[in-house]
Amino acid sequence: MAPGKQDRQVNLSGGKFIIPSDPKGFQDPKYWDTFFASRSTAFEWYGNFLGSADILCKYIKPKDDIMVIGCGNSEMSAEMYYTGLRKITNIDISQVVVDRMAKKYKDDCPDMKFVKEDVMNMSTIASESFSVVLDKATFDALVADGSATSTEIAGKICCEVDRVLKLGGRYICITLGQRHVLNQLVITMANRNFAVRAHVLTVEASEQQEVVFCFVFTKMKPGLPLLCDMQLRSDEKITRVEDISLFLRRIHDHQTMEAFSRSLRRGNYDVAEGEHVKIFNRERKLKFCMYPVKQNVKKPQFTSACFIIPPGRSKSYLYGTHEGRQEVAQRNIAAPLVMFAEVVEVPVEGFNFESVKQELTPIMRNLCPPNLFQSMVFITDGAFPETDAFHDSGDQVIFEGTSQTTGDYRILERPLLGRLEWERRLVFSDTPQVSQTEIRLTRDAGSGDGLTPIFDRMFLPSDYQKCIIAALLNHKKLACESMPSESVTFFQFVRCHHNTAFFRVSAARTR
């Protein structure tokens, strides 16, 4: 063990598990002898055979010669034996567990073998002698992190698995698919000319909080192109993926979505700026990007809401930034959770609120816990005829013009729901989804008719602008001590020149 470091204890299904402070500790037979000597019952990593049988039985047949690496005291091999898979050889580095399991199943599974072997150097196993190598959590246990030691271990495991497998044989690895494992398992096997396929297993153990993957690596003839495909939901077809980098990104996207869903179900939906989950259709094409916003609502009208971002507006301040989405939610939606859904690659003319709502309903049901789905509402910004959720008519064009440097531009205005305030934005025609400048107007209650627009000088729509102003003011403070008065006047001019000039020009057109 590494000096100065302490072992770490974690809870897994089946009991407590001590993780050595140094990954090399997993290679020590004494560690596993002690581990299994202290356990009289089976320690099942990532569930039992029944939980994964629907996937495993697609790739393991009664005629196969099967080797289970790192068998431990799991009952999986016996369960496979009882279903008709009789040609099973179990190996483990612990003599304690090999002797115990051989004695336990001597009568019930007479054809099943238990052999003491090191998966990184299977010296007694002949080359190309097995058609299936099954690994349930052994790779995860030995490849503990992204260190050089773990990388070396991963390389040895993959090399030995490749050696003992027949051409066309399958290495079936059940794993959590942590990032360092994916990098060292999937990429290494792909480089060894193995086809790669990914499935997701259903693990019933309540303690299991992560997604469990079943990777199937098929040994191919040298020179054939790399094949990557996946089936991450039981209701989707197996789909081909173009390359290994895209394969890994989609695995990561699925993990992110499942982690977010678990957080919601635990009542934890605090999110960081920009955090989102990607939703794919059955053909694994990106369909929605979901941006959650948590609110503290004293008297909620709904348990949750799904706000469908209109096409062409996802890059605007209100819908394209975390603070903008927070502002929309706070002003208009009395719900503790608001999920903003960006519809990917749908043109404005092809947008239909009801059809999108029908697609999002099962997605929201799967993401949200039952208590949040009870009175969920689907809304959009009212710019489309399918809904009048915000009771407005969308943006009104109050001025159009042409600039020699930026081309055609428009000044747009929209009222804020339930308030005597308006938003006014400057957009360029070549990038209509991006707000170049945005101000807020209110009515002057002191005027006779109450209709005179007043420019809210304290309103800044984004943290970026707030940082710029803070920097200018700090620079002004320093400048006052060393610069002449006319330079200070320059900073005062910079502070409000842009928005003030914009207000005066556009407001004059509306009076």
Side-chain angles (χ1 to χ4, degrees):
M1 301 298 173
K5 295 185 178 180
Q6 295 183 348
D7 295 347
R8 183 163 54 93
Q9 178 176 289
V10 297
N11 292 320
L12 295 175
S13 57
K16 295 181 179 180
F17 181 57
I18 305 298
I19 298 179
S21 57
D22 188 334
K24 289 184 178 180
F26 285 118
Q27 304 175 49
D28 187 356
K30 294 181 180 179
Y31 168 82
W32 293 109
D33 286 343
T34 303
F35 178 88
F36 289 114
S38 63
R39 287 165 172 79
S40 57
T41 58
F43 189 89
E44 296 292 352
W45 300 68
Y46 315 154
N48 56 23
F49 175 69
L50 295 179
S52 53
D54 57 334
I55 300 296
L56 294 181
C57 289
K58 294 178 181 179
Y59 303 101
I60 307 177
K61 304 301 179 183
K63 64 179 182 180
D64 285 322
D65 294 299
I66 307 162
M67 179 168 66
V68 179
I69 58 176
C71 63
N73 63 358
S74 169
E75 296 177 348
M76 177 173 246
S77 294
E79 292 169 345
M80 293 168 58
Y81 190 94
Y82 298 147
T83 62
L85 304 174
R86 301 299 175 89
K87 300 161 70 175
I88 301 175
T89 298
N90 301 277
I91 71 167
D92 200 282
I93 199 172
S94 169
Q95 188 68 58
V96 170
V97 80
V98 165
D99 293 342
R100 180 185 295 176
M101 297 297 282
K103 180 179 179 181
K104 179 177 181 180
Y105 291 109
K106 178 180 179 181
D107 297 329
D108 293 341
C109 307
D111 298 326
M112 190 161 64
K113 302 176 183 178
F114 289 88
V115 180
K116 181 182 182 300
E117 262 295 2
D118 183 351
V119 69
M120 291 179 286
N121 181 23
M122 295 182 282
S123 57
T124 64
I125 307 296
S127 298
E128 299 185 0
S129 54
F130 289 92
S131 52
V132 173
V133 172
L134 179 59
D135 171 354
K136 185 161 75 94
T138 298
F139 199 97
D140 281 6
L142 296 178
V143 183
D145 51 33
S147 65
T149 298
S150 291
T151 301
E152 180 183 1
I153 293 172
K156 290 180 179 180
I157 295 174
C158 293
C159 180
E160 280 294 88
V161 168
D162 186 2
R163 182 182 66 81
V164 302
L165 272 177
K166 302 174 183 178
L167 186 63
R170 283 86 62 202
Y171 172 34
I172 303 173
C173 183
I174 298 175
T175 170
L176 293 182
Q178 294 172 292
R179 188 176 294 273
H180 66 273
V181 168
L182 292 178
N183 290 338
Q184 298 177 82
L185 171 64
V186 177
I187 294 177
T188 301
M189 296 306 291
N191 289 338
R192 286 184 166 274
N193 208 48
F194 278 72
V196 183
R197 175 171 290 177
H199 295 277
V200 172
L201 299 181
T202 301
V203 179
E204 299 297 335
S206 60
E207 298 92 341
Q208 185 59 54
Q209 297 296 325
E210 305 292 335
V211 182
V212 178
F213 293 94
C214 177
F215 289 101
V216 181
F217 303 97
T218 304
K219 189 172 182 177
M220 309 292 286
K221 290 183 178 181
L224 292 178
L226 175 64
L227 298 178
C228 301
D229 47 37
M230 57 177 48
Q231 184 186 35
L232 302 184
R233 295 198 316 242
S234 59
D235 62 341
E236 72 179 20
K237 298 179 181 179
I238 295 176
T239 56
R240 183 63 46 84
V241 182
E242 298 173 2
D243 55 57
I244 200 68
S245 59
L246 180 59
F247 179 90
L248 294 176
R249 284 202 304 272
R250 291 191 173 175
I251 293 290
H252 177 69
D253 288 338
H254 184 81
Q255 291 171 318
T256 301
M257 184 188 71
E258 290 297 322
F260 176 73
S261 179
R262 288 194 303 273
S263 294
L264 286 181
R265 293 181 185 279
R266 291 196 300 265
N268 177 21
Y269 36 94
D270 284 317
V271 295
E273 181 175 352
E275 184 176 345
H276 67 285
V277 293
K278 296 178 181 178
I279 306 296
F280 297 87
N281 61 15
R282 294 183 179 180
E283 289 73 37
R284 299 305 300 167
K285 292 183 179 179
L286 183 59
K287 188 69 177 178
F288 302 103
C289 289
M290 312 291 285
Y291 300 86
V293 171
K294 179 184 179 180
Q295 300 192 105
N296 294 318
V297 182
K298 294 182 180 180
K299 296 182 179 180
Q301 292 179 299
F302 312 102
T303 55
S304 60
C306 181
F307 187 101
I308 302 173
I309 300 175
R313 298 292 302 280
S314 61
K315 303 297 183 182
S316 66
Y317 161 72
L318 285 179
Y319 304 126
T321 65
H322 184 62
E323 60 266 25
R325 291 187 289 268
Q326 284 181 319
E327 187 174 328
V328 171
Q330 291 169 2
R331 288 203 314 250
N332 304 288
I333 310 169
L337 174 66
V338 182
M339 192 78 74
F340 286 80
E342 176 187 353
V343 187
V344 178
E345 295 183 354
V346 174
V348 176
E349 58 272 14
F351 177 85
N352 181 277
F353 177 80
E354 287 300 326
S355 63
V356 174
K357 174 183 173 181
Q358 291 178 5
E359 288 188 77
L360 283 170
T361 297
I363 294 172
M364 293 299 296
R365 182 182 290 111
N366 290 333
L367 283 176
C368 297
N371 63 309
L372 289 184
F373 192 77
Q374 288 176 353
S375 61
M376 176 178 290
V377 62
F378 289 82
I379 56 179
T380 187
D381 78 342
F384 303 94
E386 291 85 355
T387 179
D388 59 351
F390 283 7
H391 306 288
D392 67 6
S393 58
D395 291 324
Q396 177 187 358
V397 180
I398 62 173
F399 183 75
E400 295 181 279
T402 301
S403 168
Q404 293 181 351
T405 56
T406 60
D408 295 340
Y409 65 89
R410 288 182 175 184
I411 297 177
L412 309 177
E413 186 177 276
R414 71 165 51 231
L416 302 181
L417 180 66
R419 298 163 63 174
L420 293 178
E421 292 182 335
W422 284 256
E423 287 177 349
R424 186 168 293 175
R425 308 193 318 278
L426 169 66
V427 297
F428 297 152
S429 295
D430 59 346
T431 55
Q433 74 277 13
V434 179
S435 296
Q436 305 297 332
T437 301
E438 184 172 340
I439 65 170
R440 181 170 291 175
L441 305 175
T442 186
R443 297 302 189 190
D444 184 4
S447 62
D449 56 8
L451 297 178
T452 304
I454 299 298
F455 170 38
D456 184 355
R457 296 174 182 270
M458 301 303 295
F459 172 73
L460 292 172
S462 70
D463 288 341
Y464 170 78
Q465 292 181 342
K466 295 173 184 177
C467 290
I468 292 296
I469 294 299
L472 286 172
L473 292 177
N474 183 60
H475 196 43
K476 171 190 170 183
K477 179 180 179 181
L478 297 175
C480 289
E481 301 174 0
S482 59
M483 299 178 65
S485 57
E486 56 269 22
S487 298
V488 178
T489 303
F490 164 76
F491 287 109
Q492 293 171 339
F493 170 77
V494 169
R495 181 181 179 184
C496 60
H497 167 71
H498 188 258
N499 278 345
T500 302
F502 167 59
F503 162 72
R504 287 174 178 168
V505 172
S506 58
R509 298 285 178 175
T510 60
R511 291 180 181 174

